[in-house]
Amino acid sequence: MADDLPPREAMEFDVVIVGGGPAGLAAAIRLKQLAPDAAVCLVEKGGEIGAHILSGAVIEPRALNELIPDWKAKGAPLETPASDDRFLYLTATRAFRLPTPPQMHNHGNYIVSLGNVVRWLGQQAEALGVEIYPGFAAAEVLEEDGRVVGIATGDMGIAKDGTPTGNFQRGMELRARYTLFAEGCRGSLSKRLIARFDLRDGHDPQTYALGIKELWEVPPENHRPGLVEHSIGWPLDAGTYGGSFLYHFGTNLISYGFVVGLDYRNPFLSPFEEMQRFKTHPAVRRHFAGGRRIAYGARALNEGGLQSIPRLTFPGGLLIGDAAGFVNVPKIKGTHTSMKSGMLAAETVAEALAGDHPAELTAYPEKLRASWVWEELSAVRNIRPSFAKWGMWGGLIYSGIDTYVLRGKAPWTMHHPHRDNDTLLDAAKAPRIEYPRPDGVLTFDRLSSVFISNTNHEENQPPHLHLRDPDLAIRVNWERFRSPEARYCPAGVYEIVGAEEGNAQLQINAQNCVHCKTCDIKDPLQNIDWVTPEGGGGPNYPGGM
Ligand SMILES: Cc1cc2nc3c(=O)[nH]c(=O)nc-3n(C[C@H](O)[C@H](O)[C@H](O)COP(=O)(O)OP(=O)(O)OC[C@H]3O[C@@H](n4cnc5c(N)ncnc54)[C@H](O)[C@@H]3O)c2cc1C
Ligand code: SF4
């Protein structure tokens, strides 16, 4: 069909950046600081910068201090200093306060809306002359003679059946000497590049978690600005990695999130419902008393750490931020490391533009290895794998020894033995989990949740969730695993219909997709391939998220 379409127009830049998150924007800003005359373009699939940004977030300002030292004077929205850290272990009825691990000390950090921070970074980038195109999804990598030479944005106005509609607009070729991929966790083009250039050879598989988040407004008497509370334990069993965060910030806002490691084994587990029932715990529900839920969203995050960072360079381009995977898992923080990776990539590119334009920018990983990012990720590299190996209690004990006795300098590196899609038990061998019904006050169902993520997709467009082999949806996913996608998808996109009549069919409600990427990660046979829908589609997270 592409052959019948008119040719794409092309624009030339020195650098094209895919993704307007912390990594992409930090790279854009650093580039213009170092090379003011460079032509830099950034595309973002969200309808505006920040629309698809979902994070906790408590952020460490280290990278921001380096990038824009006078950020306070420039009005950066970092307004609530973290002041009180609490770390809890929950049983079904009780809460026990544990010593806060050093990685979770947040003195000097800020509780923010990352969406707002990113919107502000976008303004700083634009003021420096970066051309920012929100509402444009990079849909294709352009490659010539083995070198990446830019990206093409997706066509708009293509109908479900693949024919152009009255709103048809051909995508653009954005060509560049260097292309930086800053798509965040499980980027769709980054995934292709990793496969195309064998970037994962010799590295561990990437592992992931799904984070589901709600934003609440609570009465002032229940609000403790600066409180940072994390928990482990109930409602997850000791073999499932995960926990909660509760951050009190801004004017009477609470950012509540629940994170579940995607190496979970029970196909009946529903991260969404675990997230909902967590709020009913006696030690937790008081946070929300008298409050109102105002926003909802979900996003996968990387958990592989240092061992899982792939090769970062290929001819003509680089992976930066969570597209590669710089999250410090024990800290649950990746903003500062993603930003720093973007800044180091920008420094490398600025040198290359001033020099002889080498195809592959190998100075970038060298700079990273010499930076605090590497030191930080190296010190915690064994913590997450220890939980995968020994479960919660074994992982806690090992992590204590690794942190306090070995001080992150263990002479060994533990590995991630398998990919998250390989871990599910057959449904016949897994215990069923009964979840309580939502009450509509404290706990909610998926559809009312997706509603307040402001998710919207043009309905008449080709599906952006591809099943490589549609038969597998029933033959394997349903018959063997009872369709785990119907439970792990936090937006109710996947539904099994007709099961009671003995004619199970998979129905895909693609318009609900909040772009968390979990199905692309967890589908047992990797049969689901997430590709970018029309630019501007997806969630529209409000300020505050
Ligand atoms: C639930 C949760 C809680 C977290 N809590 C914290 C925390 O408290 N502190 C902290 O520091 N970190 C936290 N993190 C991690 C942090 O959010 C990430 O490390 C950080 O956002 C990574 O930045 P990034 O720019 O690499 O990617 P992202 O922030 O994911 O940004 C990527 C951007 O690229 C866009 N994009 C993707 N593909 C395309 C495409 N093909 N074309 C155009 N645009 C595209 C996306 O729409 C998005 O705007 C958390 C993450 C989650 C999910
Ligand atoms: S369809 Fe996939 S990417 Fe979209 S919300 Fe569901 S799990 Fe996430």
Side-chain angles (χ1 to χ4, degrees):
M1 193 210 66
D3 297 343
D4 303 337
L5 297 175
R8 288 186 285 231
E9 283 183 27
M11 287 166 80
E12 302 275 345
F13 297 91
D14 291 308
V15 181
V16 165
I17 300 173
V18 179
L25 287 164
I29 292 170
R30 183 55 117 211
L31 253 165
K32 291 298 278 187
Q33 288 170 339
L34 297 172
D37 295 333
V40 180
C41 162
L42 182 149
V43 287
E44 165 55 50
K45 67 179 164 59
E48 56 152 352
I49 293 288
H52 287 186
I53 295 297
L54 184 119
S55 187
V58 178
I59 62 167
E60 257 186 54
R62 188 171 187 178
L64 183 61
N65 289 340
E66 294 178 14
L67 183 66
I68 306 179
D70 57 346
W71 55 262
K72 258 189 196 148
K74 289 198 160 115
L78 280 68
E79 282 146 13
T80 310
S83 56
D84 186 9
D85 282 305
R86 294 166 62 93
F87 184 46
L88 305 178
Y89 165 67
L90 301 189
T91 65
T93 52
R94 301 189 61 191
F96 300 91
R97 190 156 178 190
L98 302 178
T100 305
Q103 298 92 355
M104 285 184 159
H105 287 168
N106 281 299
H107 182 73
N109 298 338
Y110 291 82
I111 309 175
V112 299
S113 150
L114 193 61
N116 286 353
V117 172
V118 158
R119 286 178 183 95
W120 178 84
L121 285 172
Q123 291 160 9
Q124 309 308 305
E126 252 173 351
L128 290 168
V130 177
E131 286 183 46
I132 298 188
Y133 297 117
F136 286 90
E140 211 180 301
V141 175
L142 303 176
E143 187 184 324
E144 284 170 8
D145 303 323
R147 179 175 177 148
V148 171
V149 293
I151 56 96
T153 62
D155 297 329
M156 311 279 264
I158 301 274
K160 269 198 172 103
D161 64 3
T163 55
T165 67
N167 298 328
F168 175 72
Q169 227 185 323
R170 190 74 163 110
M172 292 281 295
E173 287 192 2
L174 304 177
R175 302 173 72 86
R177 282 185 202 274
Y178 296 106
T179 310
L180 308 188
F181 291 85
E183 296 177 289
C185 179
R186 195 68 168 200
S188 47
L189 296 185
S190 312
K191 181 173 102 165
R192 280 170 180 61
L193 289 163
I194 288 170
R196 159 72 183 89
F197 292 102
D198 300 321
L199 303 182
R200 197 155 288 290
D201 280 6
H203 303 265
D204 279 11
Q206 183 57 267
T207 69
Y208 303 87
L210 169 61
I212 307 181
K213 178 176 161 183
E214 291 177 348
L215 184 70
W216 281 69
E217 188 176 18
V218 296
E221 59 273 20
N222 289 347
H223 196 242
R224 293 180 48 196
L227 174 66
V228 172
E229 188 171 292
H230 291 105
S231 76
I232 53 170
W234 188 87
L236 299 178
D237 62 36
T240 306
Y241 188 81
S244 72
F245 61 82
L246 274 159
Y247 305 149
H248 288 231
F249 74 114
T251 309
N252 303 326
L253 295 175
I254 298 182
S255 166
Y256 158 55
F258 200 84
V259 175
V260 177
L262 287 177
D263 58 348
Y264 73 81
R265 288 156 55 85
N266 186 340
F268 294 110
L269 186 141
S270 160
F272 174 83
E273 269 130 338
E274 298 293 347
M275 189 267 185
Q276 293 302 325
R277 73 167 162 173
F278 175 81
K279 287 179 286 181
T280 64
H281 192 281
V284 177
R285 64 186 317 145
R286 61 192 167 82
H287 286 276
F288 304 104
R292 181 174 76 93
R293 186 176 76 142
I294 51 181
Y296 169 86
R299 180 81 172 97
L301 59 152
N302 299 297
E303 287 201 340
L306 198 75
Q307 300 83 314
S308 301
I309 295 174
R311 199 176 97 213
L312 298 164
T313 66
F314 44 87
L318 301 174
L319 297 179
I320 63 176
D322 273 7
F326 292 104
V327 173
N328 179 327
V329 182
K331 281 188 179 175
I332 338 173
K333 290 186 182 65
T335 307
H336 62 303
T337 45
S338 290
M339 287 179 70
K340 181 69 179 176
S341 74
M343 289 154 64
L344 294 173
E347 287 162 24
T348 312
V349 170
E351 284 161 18
L353 290 175
D356 55 359
H357 311 134
E360 193 148 345
L361 299 177
T362 49
Y364 163 55
E366 285 165 21
K367 284 183 200 291
L368 264 166
R369 270 186 216 103
S371 76
W372 52 257
V373 171
W374 219 256
E375 195 183 329
E376 188 179 317
L377 294 185
S378 176
V380 298
R381 72 192 182 284
N382 288 322
I383 290 185
R384 176 63 178 95
S386 75
F387 282 82
K389 200 171 162 98
W390 294 304
M392 185 182 72
W393 292 113
L396 278 176
I397 292 166
Y398 175 84
S399 300
I401 297 169
D402 197 287
T403 305
Y404 293 105
V405 181
L406 302 169
R407 302 198 167 273
K409 294 192 165 46
W412 55 82
T413 293
M414 293 166 69
H415 291 279
H416 301 290
H418 34 233
R419 300 181 308 170
D420 290 339
N421 61 298
D422 289 330
T423 59
L424 284 180
L425 295 171
D426 286 6
K429 296 186 186 142
R432 284 184 174 264
I433 308 177
E434 293 300 329
Y435 291 105
R437 284 185 168 279
D439 64 13
V441 178
L442 181 64
T443 58
F444 303 92
D445 62 15
R446 279 183 175 73
L447 288 187
S448 62
S449 302
V450 178
F451 184 72
I452 54 169
S453 69
N454 302 317
T455 297
N456 189 31
H457 289 96
E458 165 60 53
E459 285 206 23
N460 190 15
Q461 65 172 304
H464 73 279
L465 299 153
H466 293 177
L467 297 186
R468 292 180 210 276
D469 176 354
D471 282 353
L472 294 179
I474 299 305
R475 198 154 47 79
V476 175
N477 283 33
W478 168 253
E479 289 183 359
R480 198 169 151 204
F481 300 107
R482 280 295 178 264
S483 299
E485 60 275 23
R487 287 174 289 281
Y488 63 61
C489 172
V493 168
Y494 299 98
E495 262 184 279
I496 290 291
V497 293
E500 277 158 22
E501 299 84 57
N503 181 30
Q505 303 284 330
L506 180 67
Q507 179 177 305
I508 302 183
N509 309 309
Q511 69 280 8
N512 285 359
C513 174
V514 295
H515 297 198
C516 75
K517 310 285 178 77
T518 303
C519 50
D520 195 273
I521 296 164
K522 186 67 177 169
D523 184 66
L525 296 184
Q526 297 283 275
N527 190 37
I528 301 176
D529 188 28
W530 190 102
V531 301
T532 46
E534 272 193 10
N540 271 296
Y541 296 133
M545 275 294 260

